[in-house]
Amino acid sequence: INTKYSDGGTVDTLSSVSYSANPGNILTAFVNSSSYINGESSSYTISYLSQNQYLATTSVLIGLPIGMTMNSSSPTCSYSLNGVPLPGINCSIVTSSGPDFQTGINISLNNGGILPSGSNLTLTLGSINNPITTQPSNSFSIFSYDSSNYLIESIKTGIIITMTSPNSFNSMNV
């Protein structure tokens, strides 16, 4: 970019411009379970308000709290926008050795549309084993990525669940 005086003389020259965007933070998220009995298999519903726009090729990664596992190699999942189910959802299990989670579910949005910022998004995930204790869980985590794997927004704290009932014994010997 060249800025010039009216007589043609150069005022200044800019040869390159770069911009670095910082990912946003999801401010609030909530989790509910279809069962609060420790060790049982459940479906989980996670709701949050997006802070940024999601394109049709966005993927959302839900990191399960440490100690929670999948009971199937093919998880079930659904995704809705403001209560309306979204088509074209694919989900798969992800493992990690990082500090945020060890097992997660990656949800690919292939719905051909744009989800505006401020959308109320709800994910329902099946085939998850509840924690084995009634101690509050570590936090679930949510990460959204664009098609080039750049982070759009995330939350890693405050999404906890507590089992309220211990599982019953199958047998007992005295």
Side-chain angles (χ1 to χ4, degrees):
I1 300 173
N2 292 319
T3 307
K4 298 192 179 265
Y5 293 109
S6 58
D7 65 1
T10 301
V11 175
D12 57 15
T13 301
L14 179 63
S15 58
S16 68
V17 176
S18 65
Y19 175 77
S20 176
N22 293 322
N25 293 315
I26 297 169
L27 302 178
T28 56
F30 304 96
V31 63
N32 288 301
S33 177
S34 63
S35 168
Y36 289 87
I37 298 174
N38 59 321
E40 282 198 347
S41 180
S42 299
S43 293
Y44 280 78
T45 302
I46 299 170
S47 302
Y48 67 100
L49 190 66
S50 68
Q51 299 300 305
N52 292 295
Q53 170 180 282
Y54 288 6
L55 299 177
T57 55
T58 298
S59 62
V60 177
L61 175 63
I62 304 296
L64 300 179
I66 293 171
M68 293 180 72
T69 58
M70 301 298 301
N71 67 9
S72 170
S73 60
S74 301
T76 59
C77 64
S78 63
Y79 208 27
S80 64
L81 166 65
N82 300 323
V84 178
L86 296 172
I89 305 301
N90 298 313
C91 57
S92 58
I93 295 176
V94 176
T95 58
S96 171
S97 58
D100 298 319
F101 68 93
Q102 292 174 345
T103 302
I105 301 173
N106 189 61
I107 298 102
S108 298
L109 308 178
N110 296 309
N111 60 1
I114 294 175
L115 307 182
S117 61
S119 294
N120 182 11
L121 301 170
T122 303
L123 297 106
T124 302
L125 309 169
S127 306
I128 298 174
N129 293 320
N130 286 342
I132 60 170
T133 71
T134 54
Q135 176 180 352
S137 71
N138 294 334
S139 183
F140 285 79
S141 49
I142 304 171
F143 305 92
S144 61
Y145 296 94
D146 67 12
S147 60
S148 298
N149 262 350
Y150 288 108
L151 184 63
I152 298 171
E153 59 188 9
S154 66
I155 184 171
K156 298 187 281 187
T157 59
I159 315 170
I160 62 168
I161 195 142
T162 302
M163 298 296 104
T164 56
S165 301
N167 211 329
S168 58
F169 291 105
N170 289 332
S171 65
M172 185 172 136
N173 295 324
V174 181

